Amino acid sequence: MTSRGKPEGTMTLTSEDIDADQVSRSWLLTARREDLARFRRLASLAMREWEQPPHVTELVLHGVTELLSNVARHVADPRCTLELSMAGEVVQVTVHDRSPVLPRITLPDWTAEEGRGLWLLREMADGLGFARTERGKQVWVRVRAGDPGL
């Protein structure tokens, strides 16, 4: 427990913005593998509220899992911000962390137990990107609502 009576590693909703063109939610959190199900539930609730179809929700949840898992696995300071936003028909998952090291996306070793998450996201999503920031980096995944067969 912290001095405020909250369990250690608790996330904080930092904003819930709604305007005519965009809706978004963001949380300050500590990325830990044991908490991924909770973050996925938050993203799932947002997708339901934003009336997103199942194929969009599935990719968004995959993005949340992969981006936060990478912070938990590869970043020395796992405090980060998870942001979900929707503008028009595009939903974006963004994670801001404190490491300046950019991810590397390579052809996976299909016999390995890990190392293919970002590659799969890049192949399935409508956009995957990353950039350095003043305090580390941001990594994002974009998913466009629409016919999943297109």
Side-chain angles (χ1 to χ4, degrees), residues 52-53 55-56 89 126 143-150:
Q52 292 304 300
H55 73 279
V56 171
E89 290 192 358
D126 295 298
V143 181
R144 179 175 297 282
D147 184 354
L150 294 179

Side-chain angles (χ1 to χ4, degrees), residues 123-142:
E123 296 301 307
M124 296 183 330
D126 295 298
L128 173 80
F130 43 84
R132 285 192 178 93
T133 63
E134 287 183 24
R135 296 184 146 181
K137 71 174 168 298
Q138 62 180 351
V139 183
W140 65 87
V141 177
R142 291 187 183 120

Side-chain angles (χ1 to χ4, degrees), residues 3-150:
S3 60
R4 292 182 169 164
K6 286 186 173 182
E8 195 65 41
T10 300
M11 70 195 118
T12 303
L13 178 66
T14 59
S15 68
E16 184 171 20
D17 296 325
I18 301 173
D19 66 30
D21 299 324
Q22 180 174 346
V23 292
S24 68
R25 295 216 176 109
S26 63
W27 298 268
L28 293 172
L29 56 96
T30 300
R32 299 183 312 182
R33 294 174 105 176
E34 61 268 22
D35 293 332
L36 291 177
R38 181 171 30 161
F39 307 138
R40 288 173 56 90
R41 278 192 300 276
L42 290 169
S44 183
L45 288 171
M47 295 304 97
R48 190 173 316 137
E49 288 174 19
W50 298 347
E51 301 178 346
Q52 292 304 300
H55 73 279
V56 171
T57 299
E58 183 179 320
L59 267 175
V60 165
L61 297 182
H62 183 67
V64 166
T65 301
E66 181 61 27
L67 299 184
L68 291 177
S69 292
N70 284 347
V71 172
R73 185 180 302 120
H74 300 296
V75 177
D77 181 352
R79 293 176 294 166
C80 62
T81 301
L82 168 63
E83 180 180 4
L84 301 176
S85 61
M86 185 176 72
E89 290 192 358
V90 177
V91 177
Q92 181 166 306
V93 178
T94 306
V95 171
H96 304 263
D97 69 44
R98 298 168 188 257
S99 171
V101 179
L102 297 177
R104 286 184 16 175
I105 303 173
T106 59
L107 187 62
D109 174 358
W110 296 109
T111 61
E113 291 192 25
E114 56 185 39
R116 55 187 159 266
L118 287 178
W119 185 89
L120 284 170
L121 273 177
R122 184 186 68 191
E123 296 301 307
M124 296 183 330
D126 295 298
L128 173 80
F130 43 84
R132 285 192 178 93
T133 63
E134 287 183 24
R135 296 184 146 181
K137 71 174 168 298
Q138 62 180 351
V139 183
W140 65 87
V141 177
R142 291 187 183 120
V143 181
R144 179 175 297 282
D147 184 354
L150 294 179

